[in-house]
């Protein structure tokens, strides 16, 4: 894993006590090279695959071996939603923005008692309210670990206003042409 990465290398093969060693760990490594048979621990400053080459020289003979070192990103859960506010029933499309170097297992909690396990779920909120959403990811290869992202009060589901009115009198005539309207709407903040 990237956080706390440290690699220990040992020279192997057939050589005697007079052999010289030349390690090349790459420019992203600290140290970048070594002449010790068993060099001190090596760390990398970013994720990725890095070639490591050991060249052993004994008398006038020389042989090299190259192998790859993989530094995986630590799992980091993150997500977003295209829309975070709407009227009930409100469908929300969640988008996974997590980072990991290997396949992830997802566990979503939508804050309303429902959950999902897919990468980019769609969820419908049926009741008005403000909901906290969380995503927990886990990896079981590469950099094994878990990460959780919680977005507090992330989804705001509004109540659908109910438009209604009454009027009187019910019947008009030329002598009584005035009508009185009474707004009986609920849940609205404006009307026309």
């Amino acid at each position: 894993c990237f956080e706390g990465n440290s690699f220990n290398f040992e020279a192997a093969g057939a050589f005697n006590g007079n052999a010289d060693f030349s390690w090349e760990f790459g420019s992203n490594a600290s140290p970048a090279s070594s002449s010790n048979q068993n060099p001190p621990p090596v760390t990398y400053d970013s994720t990725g695959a890095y070639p490591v080459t050991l060249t052993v020289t004994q008398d006038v003979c020389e042989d090299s071996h190259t192998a790859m070192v993989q530094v995986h990103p630590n799992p980091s859960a993150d997500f977003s939603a295209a829309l975070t506010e709407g009227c009930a029933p409100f469908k929300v499309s969640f988008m996974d923005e997590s980072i990991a170097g290997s396949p992830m297992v997802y566990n979503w909690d939508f804050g309303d008692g429902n959950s999902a396990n897919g990468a980019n779920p769609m969820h419908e909120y049926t009741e008005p309210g403000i909901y906290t959403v969380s995503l927990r990811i886990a990896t079981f290869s590469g950099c094994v670990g878990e990460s959780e992202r919680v977005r507090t009060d992330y989804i705001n589901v509004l109540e659908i206003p109910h438009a209604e009115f009454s009027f009187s009198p019910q019947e008009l005539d030329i002598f009584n042409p005035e009508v009185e309207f009474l707004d009986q709407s609920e849940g609205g903040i404006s009307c026309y």
Side-chain angles (χ1 to χ4, degrees):
C1 300
F2 175 68
E3 285 182 21
N5 78 80
S6 180
F7 294 88
N8 294 311
F9 295 95
E10 293 180 10
F15 48 83
N16 63 31
N18 296 332
D20 292 320
F21 302 91
S22 175
W23 292 90
E24 294 297 327
F25 304 112
S27 60
N28 290 61
S30 177
S33 63
S34 176
S35 60
N36 295 336
Q37 179 177 347
N38 299 319
V42 177
T43 60
Y44 288 87
D45 65 3
S46 60
T47 61
Y50 301 100
V52 174
T53 302
L54 169 62
T55 302
V56 178
T57 305
Q58 182 174 304
D59 300 321
V60 294
C61 299
E62 183 176 281
D63 190 30
S64 294
H65 177 73
T66 300
M68 297 299 287
V69 170
Q70 181 72 43
V71 180
H72 296 280
N74 291 73
S76 177
D78 200 6
F79 65 92
S80 64
L83 297 173
T84 59
E85 183 175 86
C87 297
F90 181 46
K91 288 185 179 180
V92 179
S93 177
F94 291 96
M95 291 150 298
D96 172 41
E97 297 174 351
S98 303
I99 297 171
S102 58
M104 294 175 270
V105 174
Y106 300 89
N107 186 5
W108 294 85
D109 183 341
F110 300 118
D112 64 350
N114 292 293
S115 61
N117 296 319
N120 299 300
M122 172 80 73
H123 180 65
E124 181 175 85
Y125 290 89
T126 58
E127 296 295 322
I130 297 175
Y131 298 95
T132 294
V133 180
S134 66
L135 168 62
R136 178 180 290 274
I137 63 165
T139 56
F140 298 102
S141 63
C143 183
V144 176
E146 291 185 357
S147 177
E148 183 176 31
R149 174 70 158 118
V150 177
R151 292 192 180 268
T152 304
D153 299 338
Y154 188 57
I155 302 296
N156 186 12
V157 182
L158 306 168
E159 186 174 342
I160 294 179
H162 176 73
E164 191 166 323
F165 65 90
S166 64
F167 60 94
S168 66
Q170 297 291 318
E171 292 186 23
L172 303 174
D173 60 41
I174 193 104
F175 301 107
N176 295 308
E178 290 189 19
V179 177
E180 182 180 341
F181 290 93
L182 179 62
D183 179 15
Q184 295 177 322
S185 302
E186 295 177 358
I189 58 172
S190 65
C191 64
Y192 63 93

